[in-house]
Amino acid sequence: MAKKKFDKDQVIDSVIALFWQQGFTATSIQQIVEVTGLKPGSIYHEFGSKEALFQLALTRYTDNSIYEMNEVLNTSLDVCEGIRKILSNLVQLANQPEYCGCFLIKSQLELSASNSQVYQYTLASLQKTENNYRNFLSRKFDNEKANCYARQLMMVIFAIRVYGYQDIQNTSLLQTSLELLPWLQTE
Amino acid sequence: MAKKKFDKDQVIDSVIALFWQQGFTATSIQQIVEVTGLKPGSIYHEFGSKEALFQLALTRYTDNSIYEMNEVLNTSLDVCEGIRKILSNLVQLANQPEYCGCFLIKSQLELSASNSQVYQYTLASLQKTENNYRNFLSRKFDNEKANCYARQLMMVIFAIRVYGYQDIQNTSLLQTSLELLPWLQTE
DNA sequence: TAAATTATTGAGTGATCATTCAAAATTTGG
DNA sequence: CCAAATTTTGAATGATCACTCAATAATTTA
């Protein structure tokens, strides 16, 4: 067996930014060739298709997002403080000049008309995210409340992700988010 | 002057659905040829470019959306009732099987990396929508409150637009929206 | 009706699209 | 070190992309 020369993980990493910024359709294999340094043949030998590579990139993004999310949540002493930290981080991202939204949401909107496997994946992943928040919230709240709050939280996160393109002052987006979720205030 | 044979407005109307569903990049001139019955030459003679036609389609969608929004608002006796009707309509749209989100938001996310004129238009249009809500809310609330509530409302609307892809039961999305905006309850 | 003006045509432009594959290079097992 | 296995190559595939333009058709003006 011949050993692989290039690092598959590294290729996926460099491709994430491309797909994230431009979307699936607007990103060409040629651009992937330029960014990765691989030739078309190598890309297709390793990944099979543009769509399969896109799925790998999106999966890595999602897994990484959920991992980081849980890291913030699990290092917080208070449940609500953890959520607040998450929201604060999202708003901070939204205020960066090179902000390009949420890869998962962008993909969902772009591919919604196709009903492809990748689109189904975005649906499932966002549901998984909500479930993750619900589980975390049930540390503090009863099941009914955790359920309601998790959905509210998801909606506010969606809102931040989209509103983030609008350039308003740094603090305002976070403030409005906290107004929408009064139960986040522990005091 | 030779009289025009085809109805420009009608062409734009048939093209809206195409761009709305598939996005700018994924929609080809060939598809536009098929849908409108026009030949490529006619399309370019009349509209100049794919992007210009897209802009016309998006502008009509936006103008129409704001018109319909104001129609609902102005035929409501109470300010909050008007807003509730808007939200209810949006949720109802989101629950239709052929739901394809908000054309403006989809375009914003797709074109955000390009920083094109169309992208700038999406930013301005969504800002205009928020201003419209703020003006309406100031019928009932003082300026400060109208400002806060308009932003909250925009965020909830963004959230509905995105969450709408997830297939949850009909009532749940509206209920969560109303939970997020308790000031909508007049009683 | 004749001439001028404009709309429409549709085959054709070169560029770029995702993808392929036989050949070359590389690596490993014996 | 040789042979088998695997990776990598990169030119080439046909399809499709947005777009053009000289020719034709339709309409208006004079």
Side-chain angles (χ1 to χ4, degrees):
Chain A
M1 230 194 303
K3 195 178 169 186
K4 302 207 176 180
K5 282 287 233 14
F6 67 86
D7 186 2
K8 194 172 172 179
D9 288 342
Q10 194 177 322
V11 168
I12 297 175
D13 278 334
S14 30
V15 154
I16 286 180
L18 221 48
F19 279 132
W20 189 352
Q21 288 164 14
Q22 306 181 334
F24 173 73
T25 311
T27 300
S28 68
I29 296 290
Q30 181 53 35
Q31 290 176 313
I32 294 170
V33 165
E34 287 163 9
V35 163
T36 61
L38 295 175
K39 307 300 168 184
S42 304
I43 295 170
Y44 279 85
H45 181 262
E46 190 59 39
F47 301 103
S49 69
K50 182 187 170 188
E51 191 178 5
L53 179 54
F54 182 81
Q55 175 68 75
L56 281 176
L58 190 57
T59 300
R60 169 160 308 175
Y61 168 87
T62 305
D63 291 347
N64 196 51
S65 296
I66 291 186
Y67 174 82
E68 287 181 354
M69 163 179 134
N70 282 329
E71 206 167 44
V72 171
L73 294 179
N74 291 326
T75 57
S76 299
L77 298 178
D78 179 57
V79 165
C80 290
E81 187 210 338
I83 303 289
R84 273 186 264 118
K85 247 191 274 180
I86 296 270
L87 295 179
S88 174
N89 288 347
L90 289 179
V91 170
Q92 202 172 336
L93 276 176
N95 281 291
Q96 281 175 351
E98 72 273 21
Y99 177 66
C100 71
C102 170
F103 188 16
L104 207 46
I105 292 176
K106 287 183 75 167
S107 302
Q108 174 160 99
L109 266 57
E110 181 186 0
L111 305 174
S112 59
S114 76
N115 207 13
S116 60
Q117 209 163 348
V118 184
Y119 173 66
Q120 294 298 324
Y121 172 82
T122 65
L123 287 172
S125 294
L126 291 173
Q127 186 58 57
K128 187 177 166 187
T129 304
E130 181 172 332
N131 294 343
N132 198 63
Y133 280 124
R134 187 192 305 123
N135 282 342
F136 180 70
L137 285 166
S138 60
R139 291 187 191 173
K140 179 169 184 177
F141 303 101
D142 63 70
N143 282 345
E144 194 188 358
K145 269 199 158 56
N147 209 45
C148 287
Y149 290 169
R151 177 147 299 163
Q152 289 182 21
L153 183 56
M154 280 301 281
M155 289 190 69
V156 170
I157 288 173
F158 284 154
I160 292 173
R161 291 308 214 167
V162 175
Y163 210 128
Y165 291 98
Q166 238 72 15
D167 31 347
I168 57 174
Q169 57 269 35
N170 217 310
T171 52
S172 183
L173 192 50
L174 182 59
Q175 186 187 318
T176 305
S177 301
L178 297 178
E179 286 168 7
L180 288 168
L181 305 170
W183 48 268
L184 275 181
Q185 310 306 327
T186 9
E187 50 186 357
Chain B
M1 232 191 304
K3 195 179 170 186
K4 301 206 176 180
K5 279 285 229 23
F6 67 86
D7 187 2
K8 194 173 172 179
D9 287 343
Q10 193 177 322
V11 169
I12 297 175
D13 278 334
S14 30
V15 154
I16 286 180
L18 220 48
F19 279 131
W20 190 351
Q21 287 163 15
Q22 307 182 333
F24 173 74
T25 311
T27 300
S28 69
I29 296 290
Q30 181 54 35
Q31 290 177 314
I32 294 170
V33 166
E34 288 163 9
V35 162
T36 62
L38 295 176
K39 307 298 168 185
S42 304
I43 295 171
Y44 279 85
H45 177 75
E46 190 60 39
F47 301 104
S49 70
K50 181 187 172 188
E51 191 178 5
L53 179 54
F54 182 82
Q55 175 68 75
L56 281 176
L58 190 57
T59 300
R60 169 159 308 174
Y61 168 88
T62 305
D63 291 348
N64 195 52
S65 296
I66 291 187
Y67 174 81
E68 286 180 355
M69 165 179 134
N70 282 330
E71 206 166 46
V72 171
L73 294 180
N74 291 326
T75 57
S76 299
L77 298 178
D78 180 57
V79 165
C80 291
E81 187 210 338
I83 303 290
R84 274 187 263 116
K85 248 191 272 180
I86 296 271
L87 295 179
S88 174
N89 288 346
L90 289 179
V91 170
Q92 202 172 334
L93 276 176
N95 281 291
Q96 282 176 349
E98 71 274 18
Y99 178 66
C100 70
C102 170
F103 188 16
L104 207 46
I105 292 176
K106 287 183 75 167
S107 301
Q108 175 159 98
L109 266 58
E110 181 186 0
L111 304 173
S112 60
S114 75
N115 205 14
S116 60
Q117 209 163 348
V118 183
Y119 173 67
Q120 294 298 325
Y121 172 82
T122 65
L123 287 173
S125 294
L126 291 174
Q127 186 56 58
K128 186 178 167 187
T129 303
E130 180 171 333
N131 294 343
N132 198 63
Y133 281 123
R134 187 191 305 122
N135 282 340
F136 180 71
L137 285 166
S138 60
R139 291 186 191 175
K140 179 169 185 176
F141 302 102
D142 64 69
N143 282 345
E144 195 189 357
K145 270 200 158 53
N147 208 46
C148 287
Y149 290 169
R151 178 148 297 163
Q152 290 182 22
L153 183 57
M154 280 300 282
M155 290 190 68
V156 170
I157 288 173
F158 284 153
I160 293 173
R161 293 305 216 170
V162 175
Y163 210 126
Y165 291 98
Q166 239 71 15
D167 32 348
I168 57 174
Q169 57 269 34
N170 217 309
T171 52
S172 184
L173 192 51
L174 182 58
Q175 186 187 320
T176 305
S177 301
L178 298 178
E179 287 168 7
L180 288 168
L181 305 169
W183 48 268
L184 274 181
Q185 310 305 327
T186 8
E187 49 186 355

